[in-house]
Amino acid sequence: MTSNLAVVGIGQSKQAKRREVTIGALVREAVTAAMADAELEFADIDAVVLSKTPDLFDGVMNPELYLADAMGAVGLPVTRVFTGGSVGGHAAIYGAHLVAAGLAKRVLVVAYSKESEGNFTWALSRPLPFSAQLGAGAGGHFAPVIREYIRRSDAPEHIGWKVAVNHRLNGIRNPYAHVQRPDITVEEVRSSPMLWDPIRYLESCPSSDGACAIVVTSDEDRPQTARPPAWIHGMAWRTETGHFAGRDEVNPQAGRDCAAEVYRHAGITEPARDIRVAELYIPYSWYEPIWLENTGLAAIGEGWRMVDDDRTAFGGELPVNPSGGVLCGNPTGATGLLRFAEAALQVRGQAGEHQVDGARRALGHAMGGASQFHAMWVVGAAKPGETQ
Amino acid sequence: MRDVAVVSFAQSPCLRANRQDDMAETLLPVIQEGLSNTGIDRDRVDFFASGSHDFFEGRTFSYIESLDAVGAWPPVSESHVEMDAAWAFAEAWTWMQLGEGDISLVYGIGRGSLAADLDQVMPSQLDPYFLTPLRPHRDALAGLQAAALLDAGLVTERAMAETVQRCLADATTNTAAAKAGHYSVEELMAAPYVATPLRTHDVGPIGDAAAVIVLAAGDTARQLADRPAWVRGLDHRIETHYPGVRNLTDSVSARSAARRAAELAGFAAMDVDIAELHTEYSYQEALLATALNVKDAHINPSGGPLAGRPVTATGLVRIGEVAQRILDGRADRGLAHATNGPALQHNLVCLLEGE
């Protein structure tokens, strides 16, 4: 068992509709960038984990086979993980587990989606027997959950609009973000078309092509480069059954359990005090207060107040998604890993224009399915156990 | 390495087409059997890992349905690979090394019969720009590999038929087999080709089934089984995707996976009594036995995949079949192999041992 784990390389492609590159080339962009960041060669890598949402999204079955060459994986063990939108987080954690278990020294974790080459809504229209064919998409599923959050917390309706503006303004600081809307206003969000009440068009994530890759190593096998690593302080995943009466999808037990475990690993007793920046999986604006409460960064019913008081905006005391987050780019297979990677960039001080000052510890968060899959990690600028 | 063992294996019969049960209904009794063999309840399981593939079900997130059947309440620690469940087994074994829990449950569920036309499905496994549009039918690349072996003098059509003969005869004692029987080599060689030089019986029959393995660590394993099947070494390796740039007459990835697994295990393929190989095609037995360096072992005593191939569970069944023989005291050391991709692109090797 290896105790200290480090993220030493991070790469990502531009998130956008990328018809000019193949899937392999898109993946290679992120892989090349991560390897260059780590200052490692493929010969230094001894396992690869691939993250991808359903194969039907872009129609390539078992993409680890086709991508073996693009990932530099020929001759290596490759695992293709799939747990819904949380998959990027799961892949990062599995990669870290391989190092922690002593089965690999350096693991390359690769993630992508190329949604412009598939048909998302078709792929999500699952013809289950006895189920109505609503074709409601993901927003149709989440809208009633948001309604319930608003009812419980008595949040004013402008909160969702404000989150949408905050994240879009963050996105213009991130050259990799798909959506670039420097002039966005609350009024513009409010007047954008209603998709699934209360979710408006500008409160929704885009469908993106994009890739992300990271390199995880043990402390002993860490390349000595000028750029500091991000140290992994804690990681956890949790799954709960998707559908049963009494399940609380506004505040899923699996998310709470996952957060509790990741903070326990990281030695964090007061997350709102100890976490300086959070990259949360927020596909619809209202999920910022929902996940703030679920991950313990806000008390129940208080998440929306943090938004209202600008505490989660860039420059606030706990910036959420300084990268622009999912609302500015959503290549679903890569989205979870992007959240984990952006958290790591922050604590390395490598986040460029969207760098949060004094980001010593960050939370990366990914969720999937009907919010029943959760994965999180806490990364830090200092080694675990050292003064934070 | 932490000592981790298979303490239970269960599988459903491999049916050529199960039109009675859905994914959950197929899986649930197998999970119950897998757990009841050890006398534990589901709440004792610290980690779940599974393997299945949406393309066979024809819809996204099909694994959620099987997971809902397994039950994930209160919330569980869980992961899934969209690969053969042998890779889920590898993930569970890795997780067990962390020492965060003592019991894992791995399941694989495959229903290859659901696709109306597998020739429409399997080309999607290839490079989507250059190879998929050629739409090779599902046995075409295997036929090329078999022909390459014949040309190199590494196998003969008669040897392929003899492999099939032995596997189907062995399968007569396997209640999970989809196909079994006693055939003469002449009878087999008289059958027509489906992809020269492959005949129908040279192709493992696709089927529907589920498999479950329970893993336990150290003393917990000793409590749950009289003779745990210890996982001594496991590794897997992938090769280039493009069949045109590979030497199809060798399996470099199986060879290197076996070497690494042997390093971990302290014994090698040549030392095992039995080997269960994921031979989707008869010609692969000779190829794999050479690459892995299996010497005197009884290969595929269950009949192997030539007697039944439940997609995404087939590799896990190989591990289970070896483990079961160790659990029963019928074998001391065994090798299990799993594969994925065209012409053996990706290979996994697991070495197991009884005490």
Side-chain angles (χ1 to χ4, degrees):
Chain A
M1 286 283 296
T2 303
S3 51
N4 288 330
L5 305 172
V7 181
V8 298
I10 296 173
Q12 57 183 298
S13 75
K14 166 80 179 160
Q15 299 158 44
K17 186 174 181 176
R18 298 288 308 278
R19 299 307 292 268
E20 77 282 12
V21 291
T22 62
I23 294 172
L26 179 76
V27 163
R28 186 72 170 211
E29 283 179 27
V31 167
T32 302
M35 296 296 289
D37 185 16
E39 297 181 30
L40 292 173
E41 306 291 333
F42 283 133
D44 301 317
I45 298 294
D46 38 25
V48 176
V49 181
L50 176 62
S51 150
K52 169 74 179 60
T53 35
D55 285 3
L56 285 162
F57 278 10
D58 39 33
V60 183
M61 182 180 183
N62 294 110
E64 75 280 3
L65 299 170
Y66 152 57
L67 292 170
D69 303 88
M71 298 189 298
V74 170
L76 298 181
V78 177
T79 309
R80 185 302 184 76
V81 181
F82 165 46
T83 62
S86 59
V87 61
H90 268 78
I93 292 173
Y94 181 36
H97 282 173
L98 285 167
V99 180
L103 292 167
K105 291 176 178 172
R106 303 184 189 92
V107 177
L108 176 66
V109 183
V110 183
Y112 82 97
S113 271
K114 198 153 195 289
E115 284 159 19
S116 71
E117 295 198 28
N119 185 332
F120 216 85
T121 302
W122 168 81
L124 281 174
S125 301
R126 301 180 291 147
L128 275 177
F130 316 121
S131 296
Q133 293 301 298
L134 296 175
H141 179 91
F142 291 121
V145 181
I146 292 170
R147 275 266 163 250
E148 174 62 9
Y149 173 77
I150 293 171
R151 187 194 67 79
R152 284 187 201 178
S153 66
D154 213 14
E157 61 179 344
H158 69 264
I159 296 301
W161 310 331
K162 189 163 179 176
V163 170
V165 170
N166 284 348
H167 290 207
R168 285 344 177 324
L169 294 179
N170 290 346
I172 62 176
R173 300 182 186 95
N174 178 4
Y176 298 106
H178 185 173
V179 175
Q180 297 285 338
R181 293 184 75 112
D183 305 322
I184 195 166
T185 63
V186 165
E187 180 51 43
E188 200 180 355
V189 176
R190 179 167 62 183
S191 57
S192 66
M194 183 67 82
L195 299 182
W196 308 272
D197 193 357
I199 303 173
R200 291 181 182 275
Y201 175 74
L202 285 175
E203 291 177 277
S204 307
C205 57
S207 195
S208 311
D209 300 345
C212 180
I214 64 169
V215 180
V216 180
T217 75
S218 65
D219 193 358
E220 301 75 38
D221 296 299
R222 183 165 57 88
Q224 302 300 317
T225 71
R227 290 173 298 281
W231 297 98
I232 300 173
H233 290 202
M235 48 190 173
W237 51 33
R238 282 292 181 279
T239 296
E240 70 185 37
T241 301
H243 302 282
F244 69 96
R247 176 172 183 242
D248 185 1
E249 207 179 316
V250 175
N251 192 12
Q253 179 74 40
R256 282 186 282 155
D257 290 358
C258 188
E261 179 165 316
V262 82
Y263 297 140
R264 184 171 57 76
H265 278 188
I268 288 173
T269 49
E270 287 184 54
R273 180 198 63 192
D274 296 335
I275 300 290
R276 182 68 183 84
V277 55
E279 280 280 343
L280 309 180
Y281 200 114
I282 299 168
Y284 301 100
S285 60
W286 279 96
Y287 272 88
E288 178 169 315
I290 289 174
W291 293 141
L292 281 170
E293 294 174 24
N294 186 240
T295 60
L297 293 174
I300 299 301
E302 296 295 314
W304 69 265
R305 292 180 202 279
M306 291 177 68
V307 178
D308 213 20
D309 298 344
D310 293 325
R311 281 183 277 165
T312 60
F314 199 79
E317 69 200 39
L318 177 59
V320 172
N321 292 10
S323 68
V326 190
L327 289 177
C328 292
N330 190 25
T332 49
T335 300
L337 187 62
L338 282 165
R339 305 282 72 73
F340 275 47
E342 285 287 351
L345 278 178
Q346 289 288 344
V347 298
R348 297 172 76 202
Q350 300 283 318
E353 292 290 303
H354 62 281
Q355 179 67 48
V356 171
D357 286 342
R360 299 284 295 167
R361 273 204 290 204
L363 176 68
H365 164 266
M367 71 91 196
S371 304
Q372 77 259 44
F373 304 107
H374 301 262
M376 297 175 207
W377 77 8
V378 167
V379 283
K383 281 188 192 182
E386 292 180 354
T387 309
Q388 299 305 319
Chain B
M1 303 299 298
R2 192 179 186 209
D3 285 338
V4 172
V6 174
V7 293
S8 174
F9 169 58
Q11 62 181 320
S12 62
C14 180
L15 303 178
R16 297 295 285 266
N18 181 351
R19 290 291 175 272
Q20 184 177 327
D21 305 310
D22 67 12
M23 211 172 188
E25 288 166 333
T26 304
L27 183 61
L28 203 53
V30 187
I31 287 184
Q32 284 164 347
E33 186 190 337
L35 287 173
S36 67
N37 286 344
T38 64
I40 61 170
D41 292 326
R42 192 173 59 83
D43 59 12
R44 286 280 307 279
V45 177
D46 300 302
F47 179 61
F48 294 83
S50 62
S52 62
H53 203 291
D54 283 348
F55 261 67
F56 295 110
E57 297 280 319
R59 61 194 164 89
T60 48
F61 290 110
S62 57
Y63 109 94
I64 290 177
E65 261 62 50
S66 61
L67 183 62
D68 278 358
V70 174
W73 191 264
V76 296
S77 176
E78 180 267 340
S79 191
H80 172 253
V81 298
E82 199 160 62
M83 307 171 78
D84 190 289
W87 275 266
F89 180 91
E91 181 167 359
W93 177 67
T94 304
W95 187 88
M96 296 289 282
Q97 299 303 326
L98 304 173
E100 293 178 11
D102 292 328
I103 300 175
S104 289
L105 187 146
V106 184
Y107 64 89
I109 168 85
R111 295 199 300 160
S113 80
L114 280 184
D117 182 358
L118 274 174
D119 285 340
Q120 293 285 321
V121 173
M122 299 315 290
S124 307
Q125 219 178 36
L126 303 171
D127 174 322
Y129 307 97
F130 299 110
L131 297 179
T132 301
L134 300 174
R135 301 215 79 78
H137 70 83
R138 64 186 156 115
D139 301 323
L141 293 170
L144 287 174
Q145 187 167 36
L149 284 164
L150 282 177
D151 289 348
L154 296 172
V155 74
T156 63
E157 290 190 42
R158 173 164 289 272
M160 286 158 55
E162 285 167 356
T163 295
V164 174
Q165 180 190 38
R166 195 198 72 243
C167 285
L168 294 182
D170 280 349
T172 56
T173 57
N174 178 1
T175 53
K179 188 177 168 186
H182 297 281
Y183 300 91
S184 72
V185 170
E186 285 66 32
E187 204 178 336
L188 294 171
M189 288 186 72
Y193 292 119
V194 293
T196 316
L198 304 174
R199 300 177 167 88
T200 310
H201 52 253
D202 291 310
V203 182
I206 295 283
D208 301 343
V212 169
I213 283 179
V214 179
L215 278 166
D219 287 342
T220 305
R222 293 183 188 92
Q223 286 158 15
L224 298 182
D226 292 337
R227 189 168 191 260
W230 299 99
V231 181
R232 297 300 192 200
L234 186 153
D235 194 56
H236 55 100
R237 301 280 156 170
I238 202 166
E239 289 177 57
T240 179
H241 180 61
Y242 300 96
V245 296
R246 277 165 56 192
N247 174 5
L248 293 178
T249 64
D250 193 7
S251 178
V252 175
S253 54
R255 198 179 286 279
S256 54
R259 191 183 310 120
R260 176 64 183 148
E263 275 172 24
L264 293 168
F267 66 92
M270 65 185 295
D271 305 319
V272 304
D273 321 325
I274 57 159
E276 281 279 342
L277 309 183
H278 189 159
T279 48
E280 296 184 342
Y281 299 92
S282 60
Y283 74 85
Q284 293 177 341
E285 184 177 298
L287 174 57
L288 287 166
T290 303
L292 299 168
N293 199 21
V294 175
K295 292 293 186 200
D296 303 319
H298 186 172
I299 294 178
N300 288 356
S302 71
L306 294 174
R309 178 155 63 115
V311 291
T312 62
T314 310
L316 187 67
V317 169
R318 305 279 71 74
I319 299 172
E321 288 283 1
V322 169
Q324 191 63 57
R325 280 171 173 75
I326 292 171
L327 285 160
D328 294 346
R330 287 179 287 164
D332 292 321
R333 281 175 169 174
L335 177 148
H337 159 267
T339 195
N340 196 34
L344 297 167
Q345 189 191 339
H346 198 184
N347 292 287
L348 178 148
V349 173
C350 179
L351 291 167
L352 298 114
E353 183 181 41
E355 265 169 341

